[in-house]
Structure formats: structure tokens, C-alpha cells
């Protein structure tokens, strides 16, 4: 049974601030955030330690803060949607939005992102598709089980196994898959691993496609950038965001003005986007940790997609069904 079928039609949010949005906010944010996500915190962080006290006092974030930041991002979607935490295994959930009618389209966001950043796309996509937008495992408001591996294969399995469990939980037999940036990398890998369920694959501004070329790549960066990149190689990519504690939200506002600019036609207040980005990435960095094991030199992928023999994709995903979209 599709877990969305037991929800009343029309529960969701609209741009007009209607009763349906209010109902979604009460039912989804309060019930699922407070019961599911806070229960996850209790089971994973039972007891106390100095590190827990430090985390609470130094980092101004929590699951509730993230849920509120996501709610503000999604207030202007402009179309009614359903939202549910899909349980894929005991105490592991995938935050999922479903909207529209038509053939299924699944969206994978990029690194350090979440479903709220599809804000400008959901309404238009929903006119032709039944859209499923998810927070990838270890990111956004999805569960963040610890990553315990240390290889590229284990890092890929961390994401792909949970995505496949999610597909089975929502009873999707086949769908079009659209991934952006790191999400495009995962979309390509998922399609290689599960070609029978894929109709089309769209890779938008994909990360991890080309092989690292030491003869060319360093020339694109000043020498100090290369040294900094090597120095930070042993740290999670966004560790500094958590290390600066209460200065984190301001850091996002200052250094990721490009993200706020993309939504300035919707939100005049840039802090709405900045706070959403901050609260997603100030949480337990399990997905980020797994991603770090996929990173090679200077941000290139250790095992890029180009080396996975795309020309030998099974017939179900021919070149006619693989769409590559560069950055615009």
C-alpha cells in the first residue's frame, strides 16, 4: 500500500495561506517532527555528555529549527502537496513530498541541500508528473543513521540501499529520475544498479562525471587554493559551518549569496533561504561523512561516472533516455 493513500486529499500547502496549509503545518510539522524526529534524537542521543551540552549551547540548531525553516521555504510553492516521513526500516525515515498527477518523477537534490530548494520547480513539474521530492538519506529532515564505512563502495551503498528501500516503501514500479549536482551522481549510480525501474534519467549540472586530470585541473586554481584543499581533505566538507557555532547562519548569508539570489523573486528576506541551508547542515553530518569518502583530489570524484562505462548501460536506459543538463 502506498503510504500516501491514507492521507486525506488536499492536505498540504498552498501559496494563499489557506486552511489546507495550516492543517499540513499542524499535522506534518508538529506531529511528524515532534514524534518521529525527536524520538530519533532520544534513541540516538540517550543520556548526556559534555559533547552534547557543547552542541546544544554552541550550535543554534535543532530538529525543530530545521522543520520550521523548511516550512518557511515551502510556504510559497503555489500548489497543494502531501508530505510524509516514509519509514524504510526501523526508526529510519525519508522526508518525502508528493504533488501532481501523471507519470512519476523522482527528484534528488544536491549536496547539503533538501526538498525546499525545489521550491521554484514543484508547481511546474506537477502539471505533467506525479512528483516525489525526497531529502536524501543523511541530509535535510530525513534520518541520519551513522556512516560506519571507509570506502567508496560503502559510501555509495549508504545512499543507494536506502533510496531503493524508499522506492519499495512507496510502491514505485518505474519512474523518471532527475538529479541535481551530487543528486545527479546518485541518480546515475542508481540507474546503473536498478535499470529496470528507470524510464528516463535527467542529470542536471551533475557532479562527479569527469575523471580528475592532474595536468589540467590544478591550473584552474591559485596555488593557495590547492594547499587549502589538501589541508581540509581530512575534514568533512562543511565542518567549519558547525565549528563556528552561532556565527554559522551569518556565514551562510555572507558566502552563499548565490543561493539567496536564486529565490529573491520569491523571498525578499535572504535569511529565509540562509537559515534553511544552515539548519540542514548544522545537524549530525552522517550523509556529509559518507560523501567525503566519494571525494578525490580538489573536489573531483574518486570513482567518476565516466569510468562506469555509460556506453554499456542496459537497453532499458539507452542514450535516448539519458539527458545531461549543464549549469545554466
Amino acid at each position: 500500500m502506498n503510504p500516501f493513500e491514507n492521507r486525506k486529499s488536499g492536505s498540504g500547502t498552498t501559496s494563499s495561506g489557506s486552511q489546507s496549509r495550516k492543517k499540513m503545518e499542524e499535522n506534518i510539522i508538529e506531529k511528524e517532527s515532534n514524534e518521529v524526529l525527536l524520538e530519533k534524537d532520544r534513541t540516538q542521543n540517550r543520556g548526556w555528555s559534555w559533547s552534547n551540552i557543547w552542541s546544544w549551547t554552541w550550535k543554534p540548531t535543532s530538529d525543530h529549527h530545521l522543520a520550521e525553516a523548511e516550512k518557511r521555504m515551502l510556504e510559497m510553492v503555489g500548489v497543494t502537496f502531501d508530505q510524509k516521513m516514509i519509514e524504510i526500516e526501523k526508526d529510519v525515515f525519508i522526508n518525502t513530498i508528493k504533488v501532481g498527477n501523471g507519470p512519476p518523477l523522482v527528484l534528488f537534490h544536491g549536496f547539503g541541500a533538501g526538498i525546499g530548494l525545489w521550491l521554484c520547480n514543484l508547481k511546474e513539474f506537477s502539471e505533467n508528473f506525479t512528483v516525489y521530492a525526497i531529502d536524501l538519506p543523511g541530509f535535510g529532515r530525513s534520518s541520519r543513521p551513522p556512516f560506519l564505512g571507509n570506502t567508496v563502495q560503502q559510501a555509495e551503498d549508504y545512499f543507494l540501499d536506502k533510496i531503493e528501500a524508499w522506492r519499495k516503501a512507496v510502491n514505485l514500479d518505474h519512474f523518471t529520475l532527475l538529479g541535481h549536482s551530487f543528486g545527479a551522481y546518485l541518480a546515475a549510480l542508481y540507474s546503473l544498479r536498478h535499470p529496470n525501474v528507470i524510464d528516463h534519467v535527467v542529470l542536471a549540472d551533475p557532479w562527479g562525471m569527469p575523471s580528475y586530470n592532474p595536468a589540467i585541473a590544478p591550473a584552474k586554481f591559485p596555488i593557495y587554493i590547492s594547499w587549502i584543499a589538501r589541508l581540509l581533505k581530512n575534514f568533512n566538507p562543511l565542518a567549519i559551518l558547525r565549528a563556528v557555532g552561532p556565527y554559522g547562519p551569518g556565514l551562510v548569508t555572507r558566502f552563499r549569496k548565490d543561493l539567496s539570489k536564486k529565490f529573491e523573486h520569491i523571498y525578499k528576506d535572504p535569511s529565509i533561504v540562509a537559515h534553511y541551508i544552515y539548519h540542514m547542515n548544522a545537524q549530525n553530518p552522517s550523509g556529509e561523512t559518507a560523501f567525503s569518502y566519494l571525494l578525490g583530489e580538489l573536489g573531483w570524484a574518486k570513482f567518476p561516472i565516466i569510468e562506469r562505462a555509460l556506453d554499456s548501460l542496459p537497453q532499458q536506459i539507452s542514450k535516448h533516455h539519458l539527458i545531461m543538463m549543464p549549469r545554466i
Side-chain angles (χ1 to χ4, degrees):
M1 178 178 177
N2 190 316
F4 282 96
E5 292 178 356
N6 60 8
R7 302 190 72 87
K8 293 182 179 180
S9 176
S11 64
T13 187
T14 67
S15 61
S16 61
S18 64
Q19 286 297 110
S20 62
R21 186 184 73 190
K22 183 177 180 181
K23 185 175 181 180
M24 187 283 293
E25 291 172 355
E26 293 174 350
N27 292 343
I28 301 299
I29 298 301
E30 294 183 9
K31 183 174 184 295
E32 295 181 347
S33 293
N34 295 338
E35 293 181 5
V36 174
L37 292 176
L38 294 180
E39 176 62 24
K40 177 194 69 177
D41 275 353
R42 286 193 293 269
T43 57
Q44 292 183 350
N45 300 310
R46 188 175 289 115
W48 71 274
S49 67
W50 286 112
S51 61
N52 285 342
I53 294 175
W54 174 264
S55 177
W56 276 100
T57 58
W58 181 243
K59 291 187 298 184
T61 191
S62 67
D63 287 330
H64 176 72
H65 282 90
L66 176 53
E68 287 297 312
E70 179 194 85
K71 182 184 73 173
R72 293 187 71 190
M73 280 293 295
L74 294 173
E75 283 180 345
M76 298 300 289
V77 166
V79 64
T80 299
F81 62 83
D82 291 334
Q83 185 171 18
K84 188 174 180 65
M85 292 291 178
I86 304 298
E87 187 169 21
I88 60 171
E89 57 186 78
K90 182 175 174 55
D91 296 327
V92 178
F93 300 83
I94 298 296
N95 185 23
T96 307
I97 279 179
K98 180 183 179 184
V99 58
N101 292 287
L105 169 67
V106 176
L107 307 179
F108 289 176
H109 61 74
F111 173 76
I115 56 178
L117 295 185
W118 294 109
L119 167 65
C120 299
N121 309 106
L122 289 176
K123 181 178 180 181
E124 185 172 357
F125 286 166
S126 69
E127 293 173 358
N128 298 291
F129 297 94
T130 298
V131 180
Y132 293 82
I134 69 171
D135 280 339
L136 292 172
F139 289 104
R141 291 179 61 223
S142 288
S143 295
R144 299 178 180 233
F147 173 68
L148 303 177
N150 57 12
T151 68
V152 169
Q153 182 66 55
Q154 290 170 324
E156 292 175 356
D157 291 345
Y158 176 87
F159 297 107
L160 299 180
D161 290 350
K162 294 174 181 60
I163 291 170
E164 174 62 3
W166 170 85
R167 180 194 69 82
K168 292 177 179 179
V170 296
N171 293 319
L172 282 179
D173 295 327
H174 62 88
F175 54 92
T176 293
L177 180 54
L178 189 162
H180 172 251
S181 189
F182 174 55
Y185 176 87
L186 291 179
L189 293 181
Y190 182 87
S191 302
L192 287 167
R193 188 174 293 191
H194 303 284
N196 292 330
V197 301
I198 299 297
D199 293 330
H200 307 278
V201 188
V202 182
L203 309 181
D205 188 21
W207 173 84
M209 295 298 293
S211 300
Y212 174 72
N213 186 337
I216 299 175
K220 296 181 180 180
F221 301 98
I223 186 66
Y224 72 90
I225 295 294
S226 298
W227 280 105
I228 292 174
R230 289 182 172 88
L231 180 65
L232 297 177
K233 190 174 180 179
N234 294 322
F235 295 88
N236 279 342
L238 298 176
I240 190 172
L241 190 66
R242 293 177 291 277
V244 297
Y247 300 100
L251 197 68
V252 175
T253 302
R254 181 175 180 181
F255 291 101
R256 290 311 309 267
K257 293 180 180 179
D258 59 310
L259 289 175
S260 296
K261 189 173 180 62
K262 290 180 181 179
F263 298 96
E264 65 182 2
H265 62 292
I266 300 175
Y267 293 118
K268 301 303 180 184
D269 181 2
S271 70
I272 292 177
V273 180
H275 284 184
Y276 178 56
I277 296 295
Y278 171 76
H279 289 299
M280 283 194 295
N281 293 292
Q283 308 283 322
N284 172 27
S286 57
E288 182 183 333
T289 300
F291 173 78
S292 70
Y293 283 90
L294 303 175
L295 283 173
E297 291 292 330
L298 298 174
W300 267 257
K302 284 183 180 178
F303 191 6
I305 299 299
I306 201 69
E307 298 177 12
R308 315 270 181 139
L310 286 180
D311 288 337
S312 64
L313 274 172
Q315 179 126 19
Q316 292 94 330
I317 312 176
S318 69
K319 291 182 179 179
H320 299 291
H321 297 110
L322 176 62
I323 304 170
M324 304 268 292
M325 297 175 61
R327 180 188 294 269
I328 298 176

